[in-house]
Amino acid sequence: MHNWRWKTILFLSSQTISLFGSSLVQYAIMWHITLNTKSGIMMTISIICGFLPMFFLSPFAGVWADRYNRKILIMLADSFIALATLLVAVLFFMGYDSVWLLFAVSAVRAVGSGLQNPAVGAMVPQIVPQDRLVRVNAINSSVQSFVTLVSPAVSGALLTFATIEYIFFIDVITAAIAVFILAFFLRIPPHAKAAEKQSVSYFHDLLEGWRYITGHKFILFSCLFNIAYFILIAPAAFLTPLQVAISFGDDVWRLSAIEMAFSLGMMAGGAIIAAWGGFKNKLHTMVLANLMIGFGTFALGVIHIFAIYLALMTLIGISMPIFNTPFTSLIQQKVAEDYLGRVFGVFGMLVSVMMPLGMLIFGPLAEFVRIELMLVATGLLIVVLSFIMLNNKVLLEAGKPAAQKAEGDPEV
């Protein structure tokens, strides 16, 4: 593992390049649909196309990430997305510029992402030593946040002097670069299970993954807390732009400002956790971040000064990587390598469905209840959830650095 740093740089660089091209296209598709249809229904269809395939595919993709060579899976997913994008670009050049084509390519791209994400999460600990996972995940979080910050601006600038089909080609090029790096520069042997001949069926592995997750107390409790968290965070994630438009004014710069404040906060949070490393017990770091998110969400419902509102959005952004980094590292450390893909697949499924489910609850409620009241209520509930986490003996034990249990121990 003496050259793990170089391998990590190659791997994460390839994924960052791919993410940048994908982000450009996602924003271009969203704005193209918004400007050309001006329809909330069309935007809703676009969002559904972007998350439903990931929800259905994630558990299966997790099994594939555990059964097969993860590097090859990532390359296939990137190539699949690039080919679909290239096909739509050609069709647009030929004059077939239907909005339904954009829905279709969004769904196909979501399938590729659903296949890729569990493999990426499971592959990192194949490269990085366990005692360096927190720092590497934190640095990666900051880089991804930077990409998220600049992508809307770059995509918007490109759309001012180029049509959407040219932006499609950027994604094809970035995907090709990412695949080239993985294919010709990154030498990583497949993990043990992928190197073996598969003696059991695919559905046996799927069932085994389910048994592992339900029998692994740390994973089970983490799933339950994530379900509650992603439902409660939905108003802050989706309804704050509407709140800003109603309470502060519907200027475009205000909506852009809250997105930038959040992204800058995430960049700063990634840098903080990379330099600090967090408390010795990772759960304490996660609880601190959750409390910051809870108090920040509560304050968004009571603050009437826009500058302070932006500061709160920055605070929430800072909190995200401070929570996600130790949590991801714990998953990578506590879960047996043969099950990592399936576990990341399940968490990907939870993320892709729970926040939209939260919107099904809070979205219609916003017609009758002020958004400020929902932010106050959900912020307080997130604070309560944080203290429940802190008093959960399983999570507290899992977060300890000295808890050296057998890899994959279902009682961790």
Side-chain angles (χ1 to χ4, degrees), residues 174-235:
T174 55
I177 293 171
V179 170
F180 182 80
I181 291 173
L182 292 180
F184 295 101
F185 293 98
L186 187 63
R187 296 284 183 265
I188 299 177
H191 58 288
K193 186 175 176 63
E196 299 170 359
K197 183 179 179 181
Q198 303 300 327
S199 58
V200 296
S201 70
Y202 167 86
F203 289 101
H204 176 274
D205 273 359
L206 187 63
L207 183 60
E208 280 296 301
W210 174 252
R211 287 173 179 163
Y212 181 85
I213 290 167
T214 54
H216 194 306
K217 289 185 178 180
F218 166 62
I219 301 300
L220 184 60
F221 279 116
S222 295
C223 285
L224 294 175
F225 279 110
N226 271 275
I227 287 170
Y229 171 75
F230 282 117
I231 290 175
L232 291 174
I233 201 68

